[in-house]
Amino acid sequence: MPHLVPETGPQRVIAASNFVNTIGSGLYLTAGVLYFTQAAHLPATEVGLGLGIAGFVSLIAGVTVGHLADTHGARGVYAATLVVRGAATASGVPRLSARRDQHRRLPRGPAGGLGRPSGHPHRVPAPRRG
């Protein structure tokens, strides 16, 4: 496997940073799905749709970014993509916080789920006796 690691110099630095970035992306996507569905209480369909759209956009953008790297140099283009990626991730934080706060204000039903119990909108059924 040593033939896969570039010789010392800029190529090795880019390869190492790309490796670390790939590991971080995998961890983010795995933990992110759990966070978005469990802690932020976003619907799984919404999270899946968002990640699917992001994946599709990444496939399309990869060709363009690859061409830019060929014409303008890999180091600068890679640094620019990391900045754009960081800004895109940071832009989701206010929306996610607003969504989480909205979820906390929703009424809860008798079983702890969202919504009101059936029947009158403000009446909670009395517990059954005996």
Side-chain angles (χ1 to χ4, degrees), residues 17-36:
S17 68
N18 196 16
F19 176 74
V20 170
N21 186 31
T22 302
I23 297 295
S25 296
L27 291 172
Y28 173 78
L29 288 173
T30 303
V33 169
L34 293 173
Y35 174 78
F36 293 140

Side-chain angles (χ1 to χ4, degrees), residues 52-62:
I53 291 170
F56 182 74
V57 169
S58 296
L59 287 172
I60 301 300

Side-chain angles (χ1 to χ4, degrees), residues 5-128:
V5 179
E7 298 295 324
T8 59
Q11 289 179 338
R12 182 175 275 188
V13 172
I14 286 181
S17 68
N18 196 16
F19 176 74
V20 170
N21 186 31
T22 302
I23 297 295
S25 296
L27 291 172
Y28 173 78
L29 288 173
T30 303
V33 169
L34 293 173
Y35 174 78
F36 293 140
T37 57
Q38 301 299 314
H41 303 290
L42 294 174
T45 54
E46 196 173 301
V47 173
L49 181 64
L51 290 174
I53 291 170
F56 182 74
V57 169
S58 296
L59 287 172
I60 301 300
V63 175
T64 304
V65 172
H67 178 69
L68 286 173
D70 287 342
T71 57
H72 297 296
R75 180 180 288 172
V77 172
Y78 185 60
T81 59
L82 289 177
V83 169
V84 168
R85 185 174 175 186
T89 301
S91 73
V93 172
R95 286 192 300 265
L96 184 60
S97 296
R99 179 72 185 243
R100 186 184 63 228
D101 293 342
Q102 175 188 12
H103 176 76
R104 286 182 182 161
R105 289 190 298 267
L106 291 175
R108 297 231 178 239
L114 293 176
R116 299 249 184 230
S118 60
H120 192 272
H122 298 290
R123 187 178 62 181
V124 176
R128 294 184 182 202

